[in-house]
Amino acid sequence: MVNSTGSSSQTLIDKVEINVDCGEAFGSWEGGPDEALMPLIDAANVACGGHAGDPVIMRRTVALAKRYGVKVGAHPGFPDKAGFGRRVLVMSAEQAYAEMLYQVGSLKVFLDEAGVPLNHIKPHGMWYIMMQDNEELNDASMRAISHFKVPVYGMPNTLHESGAKKYGIPFIPEAFVDVNYDNKGVLLGVPGSRKMTTDDIYQAAASLAKKGLVPAVDYSLVDVGVKGQPFTICLHSDFKTCKENIAAARKAVDEVNNELYNSP
């Protein structure tokens, strides 16, 4: 049961989880190795046709997640396939609101057809990053998200969390291990990050889960607000080493869950 503020993860997840962006193909472009990743993850963020994905890919990805028992969330992105949703796109509040409803609604049709519940919503790429501190974009996006009555994944102590609370949206804290934060704990995303090795990812995941700290892009340790509570770790399926990256994070997460939450 979710508390009245909708801001606590304690009643939503009971251990550290792994979520991965999936369904990021479109047309004849294959995207990431989704089927190989499904056994390693707890939740799939399925692209909704904005930065990637199309109706056939969305439907196939929902079916794949259902087969592996993986939870499915919507992964709306800026409508910019050429830039993979990782470029700044200026949208009015009306446009952001409508785009969010349109993309999440598109995925939900395929979920309903498959009998799979919508687990959460997590914006992609630059949309997610800009929602950290752009009040107008955050407000319009969260207002749209609130209609679906599911949790949102986001970064603690940012507008992600306060915007969710404003609209009564259950909030699940999220942290990253295959991209970097700056030394103030601001997420840089893919373009601003250094290359992470599998050992870097294992160590970062273990440190986050045990201490709430992660090495920033300059290697200083930063607190990203997840200490002492269950949260979800995001990794990306479009990296060449994505399977190895996710396997490294899975190893760390399983070890920590067994130690701290008595859960495999």
Side-chain angles (χ1 to χ4, degrees):
M1 185 173 179
V2 177
N3 70 15
S4 60
T5 66
S7 63
S8 173
S9 70
Q10 297 291 344
T11 54
L12 301 174
I13 56 175
D14 58 7
K15 60 182 179 180
V16 181
E17 295 189 347
I18 290 177
N19 74 84
V20 170
D21 304 340
C22 296
E24 293 185 317
F26 59 90
S28 60
W29 187 67
E30 293 184 357
D34 290 351
E35 186 159 11
L37 304 180
M38 288 288 172
L40 299 171
I41 70 178
D42 300 291
N45 313 309
V46 179
C48 303
H51 69 286
D54 62 32
V56 171
I57 297 300
M58 282 191 276
R59 189 168 185 265
R60 287 177 181 172
T61 308
V62 167
L64 187 63
K66 181 178 181 179
R67 191 194 322 159
Y68 282 91
V70 171
K71 296 179 285 190
V72 177
H75 197 41
F78 282 161
D80 175 27
K81 284 187 172 71
F84 199 61
R86 288 179 177 154
R87 301 186 294 192
V88 173
L89 184 68
V90 177
M91 289 195 292
S92 68
E94 181 183 22
Q95 289 170 325
Y97 177 80
E99 189 71 31
M100 182 67 74
L101 289 176
Y102 173 68
Q103 290 194 34
V104 179
S106 296
L107 179 67
K108 194 170 186 310
V109 169
F110 297 116
L111 288 168
D112 290 347
E113 181 206 24
V116 175
L118 177 64
N119 183 70
H120 66 276
I121 297 170
K122 177 198 166 172
H124 166 81
M126 193 55 67
W127 198 341
Y128 181 97
I129 289 172
M130 290 175 66
M131 282 177 64
Q132 291 179 96
D133 54 19
N134 184 314
E135 292 186 3
E136 183 179 43
L137 179 66
N138 181 282
D139 188 79
S141 302
M142 290 297 186
R143 186 161 50 91
I145 288 170
S146 71
H147 287 284
F148 295 96
K149 311 300 183 187
V150 297
V152 64
Y153 286 179
M155 290 183 291
N157 306 320
T158 71
L159 288 180
H160 290 175
E161 186 169 18
S162 59
K165 183 176 181 180
K166 176 180 177 180
Y167 286 102
I169 303 167
F171 181 79
I172 295 179
E174 180 174 48
F176 294 76
V177 295
D178 62 355
V179 293
N180 298 135
Y181 299 82
D182 70 13
N183 58 15
K184 295 181 180 178
V186 175
L187 183 67
L188 297 175
V190 174
S193 296
R194 56 183 165 83
K195 180 174 174 56
M196 300 286 284
T197 67
T198 53
D199 187 60
D200 289 335
I201 288 168
Y202 172 84
Q203 296 296 338
S207 177
L208 273 172
K210 292 180 179 179
K211 304 174 184 176
L213 302 174
V214 65
V217 69
D218 65 358
Y219 295 94
S220 62
L221 289 176
V222 292
D223 183 343
V224 295
V226 298
K227 183 178 180 180
Q229 62 181 322
F231 65 98
T232 186
I233 292 176
C234 175
L235 293 102
H236 297 83
S237 67
D238 62 303
F239 292 2
K240 289 182 179 180
T241 57
C242 62
K243 186 176 180 181
E244 294 81 3
N245 294 350
I246 295 164
R250 180 83 266 166
K251 183 175 185 292
V253 165
D254 287 348
E255 290 171 357
V256 170
N257 281 335
N258 186 59
E259 177 183 344
L260 299 181
Y261 301 106
N262 195 29
S263 176

